[in-house]
């Protein structure tokens, strides 16, 4: 501060800032003395808020210098123009959060809170912000700025919308602390009359300071009775000069930070951020319950609706072989090695055991008409000599004739409009025939050399013999849920604070980006662990999906997937400015990941170009790894398993670095 003088608190020289083609600050010079009140007056959009953002370190100048007597953010009290308050919090919770952020002990926080509440005529400390008026909320914002008794106060429109008596009390308090405690106060305001009581005022227009002096001296020089008249005269003169000002090219210069960095990690500030998160969770119990119950609901719905074979399908049957008793088979058909075996009835009995409904028809035309009307899903037809021909085909050692082959065939017509139902019917129809022929071969083994079919399926090396599609999808569903639930929660939580300016105010108060990330990760990990426990209980305990003894590695893999999803959520929150854009991006990411990651269909069935794209996605290898672990087909040392951990680590690291670079370059407002 040598060049600025010992009594100087803030000195700004030739400050210039340009956004796109708009020069917001154009050679601004201000000089604020220690222990004084400096008021910036000017219309909206003249650059007052931008100048304050520069002073608190949130905006960098393109050109110019700043000198300040304070070097640490903890010595600055900042009140933004917007109401940056947590609507669900009480006054006490706000003060506790910011007090801990400023490393104040609980006794001092309570003492300062009581003093400020009395000064600003505010209700009880337990009062919730959302139940307070706009004026009261504005005073709470001022309380936060005054809480830690800073050396430098920077207040953006602190008295907007307040009662005239309350404004008077606030100004009296500001005068008192500036004179008695040598506090320096910089205020922006629209009210010229209240600014007359400042030690110094700066009149600002179009990013330039038109005049800077004591209010009374300015009125005396301009021979005016009010500051409004002074401002009008200066604006008129500036309007004439502006025609002579040419838009010169702005030469950017390297800027030296005028405030010290807060440090990468401070556990007191992390504790404050965690405390704030706990307050939020306490005030949003329905939301937290929904977040924790959502995995249970999703896993339950997906398990009871997707993947099991359709049951109760109607199949029409025309059996010309058994016409007695109106063509109805006996309740317990017998098997023999003679033509009296009624093999068609035995076959239909097997078919009934597969949860199908048999509809008997006496005429094939009637059955096919019902098939066309969608009354049945298929029609089966048995010739009148079906059993005789089938036994000849199975038991005789000679090549069967064409008539025998034709007579032993089951004619099948299926509705193929639904591929899944068609394949289920084909499986049941074929499976029932295999069972019947196996029974015949065993019954009549004395007449043939072999009692075995040509293919004998042994116990599976991995998985189960009759694996359902639900069991195939379960590992993929677990990975998808684990990735997208943290993603959506992170996007919602971070964008809520970002769009309302809450995050910006926390950073101005000294909270570093690293501390915000660590605090959020700790909170998200607690929620993630609970969600993962619920997910595992529903999928693998209640619905009894296969899970090998590699339970520990399965849990670790799911947690790593959740962390990757959380970092992706942070990245989306960093690059988006609104919930609408973030929602489109998150939902738009879901469907490509869902289709390309092998959830519904193996990656090997995709177009060869998409296979390479699929391998690069963050959850494809995780799904394969989790399937391998849950079915016990691979050990943790196998490349399929540890490759997923490597992929997740690379994705999480790249997303974390990308988020940091975006925030560092564009700030907390995003692109």
């Amino acid at each position: 501060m040598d060049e600025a003088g010992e009594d100087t608190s803030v000195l700004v020289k030739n400050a210039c800032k340009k956004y796109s083609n708009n020069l917001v600050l154009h050679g601004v010079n201000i000089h604020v003395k220690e222990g004084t009140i400096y008021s910036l007056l000017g219309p909206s959009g003249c650059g007052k808020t931008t100048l304050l953002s520069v002073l608190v370190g949130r905006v960098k100048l393109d050109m110019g210098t700043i000198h300040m007597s304070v070097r640490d953010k903890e010595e600055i009290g900042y009140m933004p123009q917007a109401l940056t308050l947590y609507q669900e919090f009480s006054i006490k919770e706000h003060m506790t959060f910011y007090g801990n952020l400023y490393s104040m002990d609980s006794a001092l926080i309570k003492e300062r809170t009581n003093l400020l509440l009395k000064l600003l005529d505010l209700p009880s400390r337990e009062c919730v912000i959302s139940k307070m008026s706009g004026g009261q909320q504005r005073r709470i914002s001022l309380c936060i700025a005054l809480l830690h008794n800073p050396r430098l106060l920077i207040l953006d429109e602190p008295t907007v919308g307040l009662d005239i008596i309350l404004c008077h009390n606030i100004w009296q308090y500001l005068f008192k602390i500036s004179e008695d405690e040598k506090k320096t106060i910089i205020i922006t305001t629209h009210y010229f009359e209240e600014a007359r009581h400042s030690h110094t005022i700066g009149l600002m227009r179009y990013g330039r300071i038109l005049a800077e002096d004591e209010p009374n001296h300015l009125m005396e020089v301009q021979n005016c009775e009010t500051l409004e008249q002074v401002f009008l005269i200066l604006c008129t003169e500036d309007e004439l000069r502006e025609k002579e000002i040419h838009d010169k090219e702005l030469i950017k210069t390297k800027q030296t930070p005028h405030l010290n960095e807060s440090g990468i990690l401070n556990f007191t500030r992390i504790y404050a951020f965690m405390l704030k998160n706990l307050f939020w969770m306490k005030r949003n119990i329905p939301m937290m319950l929904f977040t924790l119950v959502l995995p249970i609901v999703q896993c339950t719905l997906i398990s009871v609706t997707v993947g099991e074979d359709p049951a109760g399908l109607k199949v029409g049957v025309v059996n010309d072989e058994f016409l007695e008793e109106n063509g109805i088979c006996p309740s317990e058909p017998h098997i023999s090695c003679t033509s009296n075996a009624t093999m068609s009835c035995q076959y239909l009995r097997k078919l009934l055991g597969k949860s199908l409904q048999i509809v008997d028809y006496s005429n094939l035309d009637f059955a096919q008409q019902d098939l066309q009307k969608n009354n049945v899903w298929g029609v089966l037809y048995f010739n009148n000599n079906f059993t005789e021909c089938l036994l000849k085909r199975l038991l005789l050692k000679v090549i069967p004739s064409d008539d025998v082959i034709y007579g032993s065939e089951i004619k099948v017509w299926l509705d193929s409009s639904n591929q899944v139902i068609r394949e289920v019917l084909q499986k049941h129809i074929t499976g029932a025939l295999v069972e019947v022929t196996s029974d015949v071969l065993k019954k009549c083994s004395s007449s043939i050399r072999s009692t075995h079919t040509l293919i004998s399926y042994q116990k599976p090396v991995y998985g189960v013999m009759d694996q359902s599609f639900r069991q195939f999808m379960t590992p993929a569903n677990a990975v998808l849920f684990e990735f997208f639930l943290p993603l959506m929660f992170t996007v919602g939580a971070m964008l809520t604070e970002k769009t309302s300016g809450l995050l910006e105010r926390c950073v101005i108060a000294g909270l570093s980006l690293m501390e915000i990330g660590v605090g959020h990760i700790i909170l998200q990990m607690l929620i993630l662990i609970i969600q993962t426990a619920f997910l595992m209980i529903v999928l693998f305990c209640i619905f009894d999906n296969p899970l090998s003894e590699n339970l520990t590695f399965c849990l670790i893999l799911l947690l790593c997937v959740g962390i990757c999803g959380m970092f992706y959520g942070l990245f989306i929150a960093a690059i988006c400015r609104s919930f609408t854009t973030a929602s489109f991006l998150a939902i738009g990411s879901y469907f490509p990941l869902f289709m390309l990651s092998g959830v519904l269909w193996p990656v090997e069935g995709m177009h060869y170009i998409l296979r390479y794209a699929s391998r690069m996605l963050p959850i494809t290898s995780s799904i394969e790894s989790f399937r391998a672990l849950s079915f016990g087909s691979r050990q943790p040392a196998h490349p399929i398993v540890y490759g997923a951990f490597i992929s997740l680590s690379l994705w999480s690291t790249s997303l974390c670095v990308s988020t940091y670079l975006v925030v560092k370059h564009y700030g907390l407002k995003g692109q």
Side-chain angles (χ1 to χ4, degrees):
M1 295 296 299
D2 294 338
E3 61 178 289
E6 294 182 359
D7 65 338
T8 299
S9 177
V10 177
L11 181 65
V12 179
K13 290 185 175 181
N14 196 30
C16 295
K17 180 63 184 177
K18 192 173 187 179
Y19 292 115
S20 299
N21 295 322
N22 184 23
L23 194 58
V24 182
L25 298 179
H26 189 182
V28 171
N29 296 278
I30 66 170
H31 182 201
V32 184
K33 294 183 179 180
E34 197 85 34
T36 63
I37 300 177
Y38 186 104
S39 292
L40 270 172
L41 290 99
S44 297
C46 70
K48 301 190 302 296
T49 299
T50 300
L51 181 57
L52 297 191
S53 298
V54 170
L55 296 180
V56 297
R58 292 309 299 157
V59 173
K60 290 184 178 180
L61 291 175
D62 294 323
M63 191 170 68
T65 57
I66 298 176
H67 300 279
M68 297 174 66
S69 60
V70 297
R71 296 291 298 173
D72 297 321
K73 293 182 178 180
E74 290 79 3
E75 297 180 286
I76 299 174
Y78 174 64
M79 176 186 172
Q81 187 175 4
L83 285 176
T84 51
L85 300 173
Y86 297 91
Q87 293 296 311
E88 309 94 335
F89 286 15
S90 66
I91 297 175
K92 178 182 177 181
E93 288 167 343
H94 271 95
M95 298 305 168
T96 302
F97 166 51
Y98 282 100
N100 280 278
L101 202 57
Y102 291 121
S103 303
M104 299 169 63
D105 60 59
S106 56
L108 183 57
I109 293 173
K110 184 176 181 180
E111 177 186 341
R112 291 286 299 170
T113 300
N114 291 334
L115 172 66
L116 293 170
L117 293 184
K118 183 178 180 180
L119 167 72
L120 298 173
D121 190 26
L122 287 166
S124 166
R125 296 190 307 161
E126 304 301 328
C127 187
V128 177
I129 299 299
S130 60
K131 297 180 180 179
M132 301 170 66
S133 67
Q136 288 176 322
Q137 293 186 31
R138 194 147 201 84
R139 281 175 270 161
I140 293 298
S141 184
L142 180 57
C143 271
I144 294 171
L146 297 169
L147 179 64
H148 59 297
N149 200 21
R151 286 179 55 194
L152 173 62
L153 266 174
I154 298 178
L155 311 175
D156 198 353
E157 305 283 358
T159 58
V160 170
L162 299 186
D163 178 75
I164 188 170
I165 297 177
L166 192 56
C167 289
H168 175 75
N169 292 339
I170 292 174
W171 276 94
Q172 288 298 314
Y173 178 75
L174 295 178
F175 277 122
K176 183 177 184 302
I177 61 175
S178 67
E179 292 178 2
D180 297 347
E181 302 176 30
K182 298 302 179 184
K183 306 291 185 184
T184 304
I185 304 164
I186 300 176
I187 296 178
T188 66
T189 181
H190 288 95
Y191 304 132
F192 285 82
E193 188 61 31
E194 69 178 23
R196 289 184 62 175
H197 305 295
S198 307
H199 298 96
T200 308
I201 63 171
L203 299 175
M204 197 169 184
R205 182 173 185 259
Y206 292 154
R208 299 189 300 277
I209 297 294
L210 303 181
E212 181 187 70
D213 207 339
E214 294 180 6
N216 292 330
H217 187 257
L218 272 175
M219 290 188 291
E220 181 182 342
V221 170
Q222 297 294 336
N223 194 24
C224 297
E225 295 182 358
T226 63
L227 285 175
E228 288 94 332
Q229 293 175 341
V230 173
F231 191 61
L232 178 60
I233 292 172
L234 293 175
C235 287
T236 304
E237 295 175 355
D238 183 64
E239 193 76 24
L240 296 174
R241 277 199 310 270
E242 190 178 354
K243 297 178 181 179
E244 302 174 3
I245 296 175
H246 300 285
D247 188 15
K248 297 181 180 179
E249 183 180 356
L250 179 64
I251 302 175
K252 294 186 178 182
T253 58
K254 185 177 180 181
Q255 297 295 307
T256 303
H258 59 280
L259 292 174
N260 296 327
E261 293 294 331
S262 300
I264 298 177
L265 285 177
N266 181 292
F267 290 102
T268 302
R269 292 195 293 266
I270 293 177
Y271 169 76
F273 191 77
M274 288 298 301
L275 196 63
K276 182 265 297 180
N277 289 336
L278 292 176
F279 289 155
W280 185 89
M281 293 168 66
K282 183 181 73 172
R283 295 289 179 177
N284 291 273
I285 292 178
M287 177 63 72
M288 291 307 302
L289 289 176
F290 175 78
T291 302
L292 296 176
V293 171
L294 186 59
I296 299 177
V297 175
Q298 288 183 317
C299 293
T300 302
L301 286 176
I302 200 75
S303 296
V304 299
T305 58
V306 178
E308 291 297 329
D309 287 346
L313 301 176
K314 291 183 178 181
V315 177
V317 174
V318 180
N319 191 352
D320 282 350
E321 180 184 43
F322 197 81
L323 299 177
E324 298 178 9
E325 301 182 11
N326 297 323
I328 301 175
C329 287
S331 58
E332 293 193 16
H334 63 281
I335 292 180
S336 70
C337 299
T338 67
S339 59
N340 296 324
T342 60
M343 298 289 291
S344 59
C345 293
Q346 180 65 21
Y347 174 83
L348 294 175
R349 181 176 175 83
K350 296 284 186 183
L351 211 56
L352 281 170
K354 300 183 181 298
S355 300
L356 298 180
Q357 293 185 26
I358 303 299
V359 181
D360 290 305
Y361 292 92
S362 60
N363 185 284
L364 184 59
D365 292 335
F366 293 157
Q368 290 181 334
Q369 287 176 10
D370 266 10
L371 178 62
Q372 292 177 356
K373 294 176 182 178
N374 297 104
N375 293 329
V376 292
W377 285 99
V379 172
L380 277 63
Y381 173 74
F382 297 91
N383 290 297
N384 56 4
N385 58 346
F386 174 75
T387 300
E388 178 184 355
C389 293
L390 182 62
L391 290 175
K392 288 181 180 180
R393 189 169 180 176
L394 289 175
L395 303 179
L396 293 179
K397 300 177 182 179
V398 297
I399 298 175
S401 64
D402 292 342
D403 291 339
V404 170
I405 293 174
Y406 180 81
S408 62
E409 286 180 344
I410 303 174
K411 308 296 188 297
V412 180
W413 292 266
L414 293 178
D415 181 349
S416 295
S417 60
N418 189 308
Q419 183 181 0
V420 174
I421 291 180
R422 184 197 68 192
E423 291 180 355
V424 168
L425 286 174
Q426 287 178 338
K427 182 181 72 172
H428 290 334
I429 291 170
T430 305
L433 184 60
V434 171
E435 292 175 15
V436 169
T437 54
S438 297
D439 290 344
V440 171
L441 291 175
K442 290 178 182 178
K443 182 77 174 179
C444 308
S445 59
S446 59
S447 62
I448 58 175
R449 293 181 180 180
S450 173
T451 61
H452 298 286
T453 56
L454 295 177
I455 299 177
S456 177
Y457 288 99
Q458 305 301 310
K459 181 181 178 181
V461 178
Y462 303 110
V464 294
M465 177 70 77
D466 297 321
Q467 183 188 66
S468 66
F469 188 67
R470 170 173 61 82
Q471 293 171 333
F472 168 77
M473 282 192 63
T474 292
N477 290 328
V479 172
L480 275 176
F481 292 156
E482 200 74 7
F483 184 83
F484 278 97
L485 288 175
L487 186 157
M488 298 307 295
F489 182 84
T490 300
V491 169
M494 297 305 293
L495 270 182
T496 298
E497 296 196 16
K498 175 183 171 181
T499 55
S500 60
L502 295 166
L503 209 56
E504 183 85 10
R505 187 166 190 173
C506 291
V507 172
I508 291 173
L511 199 64
S512 70
L513 297 178
M514 184 68 73
E515 289 160 350
I516 293 172
V518 171
H520 182 77
I521 289 172
I522 294 173
L523 169 68
Q524 184 60 63
M525 285 300 296
L526 294 174
I527 298 174
L528 191 60
I529 290 171
I530 298 173
Q531 287 179 330
T532 303
F534 287 160
L535 184 146
M536 296 293 285
I537 290 171
V538 173
L539 290 180
F540 298 101
C541 295
I542 297 178
F543 288 97
D544 197 28
N545 289 294
L547 183 64
S548 70
E549 65 276 4
N550 296 316
L551 178 60
T552 302
F553 282 95
C554 288
L555 291 174
I556 294 174
L557 177 63
L558 287 179
L559 289 176
C560 291
V561 171
I563 292 172
C564 186
M566 178 190 63
F567 280 125
Y568 185 39
L570 287 173
F571 177 72
I572 291 177
I575 64 176
C576 296
R577 291 189 175 186
S578 67
F579 282 99
T580 303
T581 307
S583 298
F584 284 151
L585 186 54
I587 296 173
S589 302
Y590 176 82
F591 288 102
L593 286 174
F594 180 78
M595 298 303 298
L596 293 173
S597 57
V599 176
L600 287 175
W601 204 255
V603 175
E604 290 76 9
M606 299 179 187
H607 189 277
Y608 72 94
I609 295 178
L610 292 179
R611 293 180 202 171
Y612 294 106
S614 175
R615 298 296 180 187
M616 298 178 65
L617 296 176
I619 62 173
T620 303
S621 59
S622 301
I623 291 174
E624 293 180 350
S625 176
F626 194 69
R627 278 179 177 148
L629 287 171
S630 60
F631 291 130
S633 60
R634 299 290 185 271
Q635 293 302 313
H638 194 277
I640 288 181
V641 178
Y642 69 72
F645 288 94
I646 295 174
S647 175
L648 289 170
S649 300
L650 292 175
W651 269 100
S652 297
T653 302
S654 61
L655 287 169
C656 184
V657 172
S658 299
T659 302
Y660 177 80
L661 293 176
V662 168
V663 174
K664 200 72 175 176
H665 184 72
Y666 292 101
L668 292 173
K669 295 182 180 180
Q671 297 187 52

